[in-house]
Amino acid sequence: MTTIQPFEPVDLFKTNNVNLDILTENFPLEFYFEYMILWPDLFFKSLEMTVDPDFKHNISGYMMAKTEGKTTEWHTHITAVTVAPRFRRISLASKLCNTLETMTDVMPHEVNFIDLFVKCNNQLAIKLYEKLGYSVYRRVVGYYNSSQDGYPETLKKVDDNKDAFDMRKAMARDKGRSVRSDGRNHKCYPHDVRF
Amino acid sequence: MSDKIQEEILGLISKSSFKQCYARLGQLQKQFPNAAYFKILEAYVKFKQSPSKFEYRKLLDEPYGLKGTNITGDTRSLEFLHNFFMELGKYNEALHVYERGNFKFPSYELSYHWFTKALEDANYNEMGKASLQLAKHCDSGFLPKRAYYFWNAISTLAIMRFQKDTVSEPKKVLLAKLARQSLLNLKPFENVQEIIVYCSVLDELFPASREISEEIVAITFINFDTSVNLYLKNYILKHAKLLNSPEKLFEVCSKLIGKGLDDYELIINLIDAAHKLSKPQEELQNWINENLGDSRNTRLARLKLDLVYSKSVSESSLSYYLSKYHNKPCCSIDVSRYMDHISTDMLKNVMAKYDPTDNDLIHHCNALELKLLESNSINSYNKFKETLTKKSITDYSSCSAFILEIIKSVCKETNPDLKDILLCITILENYQTKDPHNFDTMCWLIVLYMYLGLVPDAYFHFSNLKIKNVQTDSMDYLIFTRFSTLFPNKQSDFYSKTFHEHNNLYDVSLANLPKYIQIAFEKNSYSKIPGMFEMRDRLMKSHTRWMKTLENLQFSRLCNDKRSNILQKMHTDWRSLEMTGDISFSDNRDFSILDEHFGQFFCRDKVLEYANLSKESIMLGLIRELIIEVLPSGEKTKQISILFEKLPLANLEDLLNNNLTKVESVSFLIFFEIYENNGKELHSLISKLMDIPLNAKQNWNISHIYLTKITTLKTLDSLKRIKDKEVQKLIKNSLKELRGCCDNLFKGYSNTLIQAFEDLQRGESNELLKELDFKPESVKNTKNSLLSIQKNVRNL
């Protein structure tokens, strides 16, 4: 029983059921504000209508996204999409992604494609995105490198735990430019994915 | 130049080099005889030199106050005046100087400064006035004129939402009309954000009416032809319902669903409207499926359709939903909404159909939550514990529900047995090794260690939760409540790292928010601004923030450290609270993470009593620290009087008993007695403090009572105001007595814990651990943890 609602700043007090998850990042307040300021429509939550917020967490997940790039590269980027453990495996992340697509395929955004980064070894997530129509466009070598790892010096050395797949879903106006059947063989550096 | 001079003068003030200050300012005034800035600086020096003798009326109020004769348009003078008035708690005057400056020296720059300052001060009235001035001078600005009318409308919305009491009723009507008319003049609106503001103005500033609803529906409906916005979705749905027209509601909902919005609120309104329009159920069902496909919402829609069309949920609809969701964690939440319309037998039968052997963990949990099965946590855990070995490490297991049921049944007790608490800790520690990232169980583990006063163990698990940034405000209560009397250890990471790092939320992020909100105005991100105001307000008034400041002050007193910096910061924070016109605290703590009926664990002698701090407790803590600050001078302050007025002091004893622990209450009375009655009853109150038994409760109270006594006595010992020799002697002797019994106190507690551990190895508890296949915890860890606390406490 989910409704999709705008994410409000004070919701950050009520997302521990989502954000205490070990794999979910807790950003500084300023980072969340930056998204709310620059892309106010693209930060939204799924809310469970039957849960009384005075006693239980009623936010089941949220989406944080932005638009960026120029001309044919103008696109939506999914920064974070996350779901509380209690509401997993019911396609809620897909619903959030679909809502984002509904919103950014039309005015004022009218993007060419939607993209996201996923660790190359995260098979579950890759499958989920493939089901939603995303496909691997390229491999970003060393995208998840730590400061100790340093910046990648070559594209020849790949590591599924450190590299990301740049996955894209093309909108009709993109005319298939963002779909590559051999995307996994295309490699790039992290600076190539800055817009 | 002025910045350097200001820095130089403030530097001299901080060193109390007032002669040099005057000499330097004299020099500058000779050089610039007409500069208001140096005259204001001079007044400030006089204030700092002797605050009590400062001639406020003559030197500040008459020239620059609300009816002042001097007006300046110099932005540095204005800023300094603003801050000066703020320091004196004259909040209206602080912004009034900008308003007057604007009338005499109108300019875009000055209006912009006025708006920014008003935003920093969270004064929405002044923001509204400044925004209209900005619109007048927009030729010199960087935004089009229309933007400032939206700024004005947002300011008016903020007044009505957050500072309603600061304006009269006629003014409210006037501001609403002004906002609406100004926006109407700007039609057609250029983007969705502008439409949202206009809808908000109509929705929030005017009484509900058909005319308002029709206007909102009309303006938003067209918008959905070309774009999809969630704020507008809410407005159109709300007002389409208010119109009481099923045709319109159906049209709206079908249009939005047709856009691909799989939203249950839209679906149920569509169904209600369709029913009123006598549309056939099957036709509607097919339409929903065609537009939204197979989803949780569309399967649940069948239940709603049944309910609306035939007043009860059919077995086929229930089956349709349960066939896919009977073993999903959301199932019990979803079904419980319709429980009044589903017979238990039918639910039991349908559920059983999908897992006849009851072999699915989540199905089993759902059946338990829907009360279709008798609960037996131990059997359930044992039945499904094998699943723990098969799950991925970052996954959460629903087995935690069985474990937490055992834990919570113990924790509901008043004064739970130490052995039972240790049993719960043992169960949770064992479980955590199998489900290491489960935060539900981890939070309870923290609570139980805190209940025993074993803060280092609680901190270990708290660190594993990796709580940071804004999360700290809602979660820090778990380990930092009453920390000055539970684990006041300067060297530990607990304080030196985590406590300080977590305060960055207030010291850095909160301080940055006005800048961010200003950017939101400039970027036309209007829809988020009211929420940003609310966020800022709730952080400023945050219960956790104030609790930590007060605990830090008490910690400093315990260590005989200088408190001037913390006090100065507290006064600045206090002013930001006071200027909102609403002295209150915002409780942002998240207790739901522990249990939906969390209240049952808070009462006196329950496991969460250590974290039970009400808004009144914070208020009393604030009064205590303010009293202690002024005790040396014997002054009575306005600030303390304001806080007293906020509390029901008629029955002080009840107030203290309901909001503080017993030892905290007596400690409060001691300082209150000196403040109010010059300590006439001090001797008997100190005796009363000492009479509170140190070890009556074998848990966190051991160190809490001991350290509250020590802190109180050390503070009294440092007060030169106490001249009575008998009282002085009593303080010294009491301190000596306490220090003398510290080791024995902790040794005694340690022995009690060891005994409880030994008891755990026998009888029912041991049987239970065996049944769960859990190993007993090592008593050595607990002993070491307690020893580290003892060593720390002994040295204080």
Side-chain angles (χ1 to χ4, degrees), chain A residues 1-2 48-51 56 86-87 90, chain B residues 264 296-297 299-304 307 312-315 317-352 354 362-363 365-372:
Chain A
M1 254 168 246
T2 308
E48 296 308 315
M49 289 172 65
T50 49
V51 179
K56 273 184 177 178
R86 175 97 209 205
F87 298 95
I90 54 169
Chain B
Y264 203 66
R296 174 175 159 231
N297 277 348
R299 287 194 179 226
L300 280 165
R302 296 275 182 102
L303 275 60
K304 169 76 182 173
L307 206 59
S312 69
V313 174
S314 68
E315 189 168 332
S317 296
L318 187 63
S319 272
Y320 183 59
Y321 170 78
L322 288 177
S323 62
K324 196 168 175 186
Y325 294 97
H326 72 101
N327 60 353
K328 300 289 187 282
C330 63
C331 171
S332 59
I333 290 175
D334 289 343
V335 173
S336 55
R337 168 153 175 157
Y338 295 103
M339 277 301 265
D340 291 346
H341 310 278
I342 301 171
S343 83
T344 313
D345 285 344
M346 183 170 88
L347 183 58
K348 249 186 197 170
N349 290 339
V350 180
M351 276 293 274
Y354 296 109
I362 300 174
H363 173 98
C365 288
N366 283 324
L368 280 173
E369 285 184 22
L370 291 167
K371 298 191 175 20
L372 305 177

Side-chain angles (χ1 to χ4, degrees), chain A residues 1-5 7-8 16 21 25-27 30 37 48 50 56-57 86 89 95 102 107, chain B residues 227 231 233-234 262-264 296-297 328 332 337 369 395-396 468-469 474 512 525 528 590:
Chain A
M1 254 168 246
T2 308
T3 171
I4 306 288
Q5 294 294 331
F7 195 96
E8 295 295 340
N16 287 321
D21 169 41
E25 186 55 76
N26 279 286
F27 298 107
E30 291 88 336
I37 291 167
E48 296 308 315
T50 49
K56 273 184 177 178
H57 296 96
R86 175 97 209 205
R89 297 192 178 89
K95 185 200 281 279
T102 301
M107 274 171 62
Chain B
S227 73
Y231 285 96
K233 178 202 76 169
N234 289 339
D262 183 359
D263 185 308
Y264 203 66
R296 174 175 159 231
N297 277 348
K328 300 289 187 282
S332 59
R337 168 153 175 157
E369 285 184 22
D395 250 357
Y396 301 86
K468 58 179 178 174
N469 300 321
S474 55
N512 277 335
S525 306
K528 295 291 180 196
D590 182 0

Side-chain angles (χ1 to χ4, degrees), chain B residues 16 59 199 206 244 303 434 442 495 511 528 556 588 637 762 775:
Chain B
S16 298
L59 294 174
C199 289
F206 292 90
N244 213 7
L303 275 60
K434 299 172 198 296
M442 219 188 286
Y495 181 75
K528 295 291 180 196
S556 301
N588 310 325
T637 73
R762 293 188 289 266
K775 289 178 193 138

Side-chain angles (χ1 to χ4, degrees), chain B residues 621-769:
Chain B
L622 186 53
I623 292 174
R624 181 195 66 217
E625 293 307 323
L626 290 171
I627 283 179
I628 292 168
E629 187 190 10
V630 296
L631 281 186
S633 68
E635 278 175 43
K636 298 256 160 101
T637 73
K638 187 182 136 207
Q639 205 176 344
I640 295 173
S641 311
I642 292 172
L643 284 168
F644 274 144
E645 280 166 21
K646 299 217 154 265
L647 290 167
L649 284 178
N651 196 339
L652 184 61
E653 207 168 306
D654 275 357
L655 177 74
L656 296 176
N657 284 341
N658 292 337
N659 297 291
L660 300 176
T661 61
K662 192 172 175 194
V663 70
E664 286 169 339
S665 299
V666 180
S667 174
F668 180 92
L669 282 174
I670 285 174
F671 297 116
F672 183 68
E673 170 66 15
I674 306 174
Y675 181 76
E676 281 289 304
N677 306 316
N678 206 19
K680 275 184 211 153
E681 302 294 327
L682 199 50
H683 197 283
S684 72
L685 280 169
I686 294 171
S687 304
K688 199 175 167 187
L689 180 82
M690 291 305 288
D691 285 346
I692 298 171
L694 289 167
N695 57 357
K697 291 175 186 171
Q698 300 281 311
N699 51 36
W700 60 280
N701 275 292
I702 292 278
S703 60
H704 172 67
I705 295 174
Y706 176 85
L707 285 170
T708 307
K709 287 186 183 189
I710 288 273
T711 313
T712 308
L713 293 165
K714 280 180 86 170
T715 307
L716 290 174
D717 197 33
S718 68
L719 273 180
K720 289 184 183 124
R721 187 174 159 182
I722 300 170
K723 306 272 187 216
D724 187 317
K725 296 270 184 252
E726 281 302 306
V727 173
Q728 282 177 345
K729 203 172 142 193
L730 180 64
I731 294 167
K732 299 248 184 254
N733 287 345
S734 301
L735 269 171
K736 204 174 156 191
E737 184 191 320
L738 278 171
R739 284 180 174 134
C741 70
C742 176
D743 282 343
N744 283 342
L745 178 72
F746 279 89
K747 270 182 201 159
Y749 182 40
S750 182
N751 289 338
T752 311
L753 280 176
I754 293 166
Q755 183 60 49
F757 261 116
E758 283 170 8
D759 292 346
L760 206 59
Q761 322 275 334
R762 293 188 289 266
E764 274 179 31
S765 308
N766 190 37
E767 287 304 312
L768 175 61
L769 288 178

Side-chain angles (χ1 to χ4, degrees), chain B residues 156 159-160 163-177 204-205 207:
Chain B
T156 304
I159 295 170
M160 302 305 185
Q163 295 173 353
K164 224 175 179 172
D165 299 337
T166 61
V167 282
S168 65
E169 287 306 315
K171 197 176 171 192
K172 277 179 199 163
V173 176
L174 197 72
L175 287 174
K177 279 185 182 165
E204 293 181 42
L205 306 186

Side-chain angles (χ1 to χ4, degrees), chain A residues 3 5 10-11 13-17 45-60 87, chain B residues 333 337 538 587-593 595-598:
Chain A
T3 171
Q5 294 294 331
V10 290
D11 287 331
F13 293 131
K14 296 178 268 175
T15 45
N16 287 321
N17 60 325
K45 65 193 176 220
S46 53
L47 202 73
E48 296 308 315
M49 289 172 65
T50 49
V51 179
D52 182 348
D54 286 341
F55 301 101
K56 273 184 177 178
H57 296 96
N58 63 344
I59 297 174
S60 46
F87 298 95
Chain B
I333 290 175
R337 168 153 175 157
R538 286 183 61 178
D587 194 350
N588 310 325
R589 296 175 297 171
D590 182 0
F591 297 117
S592 311
I593 206 75
D595 192 75
E596 61 183 296
H597 306 295
F598 49 82

Side-chain angles (χ1 to χ4, degrees), chain B residues 552-608:
Chain B
N552 209 19
L553 273 168
Q554 185 154 280
F555 186 19
S556 301
R557 285 195 283 115
L558 177 64
C559 301
N560 284 335
D561 286 346
K562 280 189 178 162
R563 290 174 293 131
S564 51
N565 284 344
I566 313 176
L567 282 168
Q568 201 180 343
K569 173 87 179 35
M570 187 180 80
H571 285 292
T572 310
D573 294 344
W574 162 265
R575 284 195 288 270
S576 60
L577 203 71
E578 198 180 34
M579 74 190 173
T580 63
D582 172 30
I583 298 168
S584 59
F585 299 101
S586 171
D587 194 350
N588 310 325
R589 296 175 297 171
D590 182 0
F591 297 117
S592 311
I593 206 75
L594 295 168
D595 192 75
E596 61 183 296
H597 306 295
F598 49 82
Q600 64 186 320
F601 303 106
F602 275 100
C603 315
R604 184 141 290 178
D605 297 326
K606 297 272 178 120
V607 284
L608 266 169

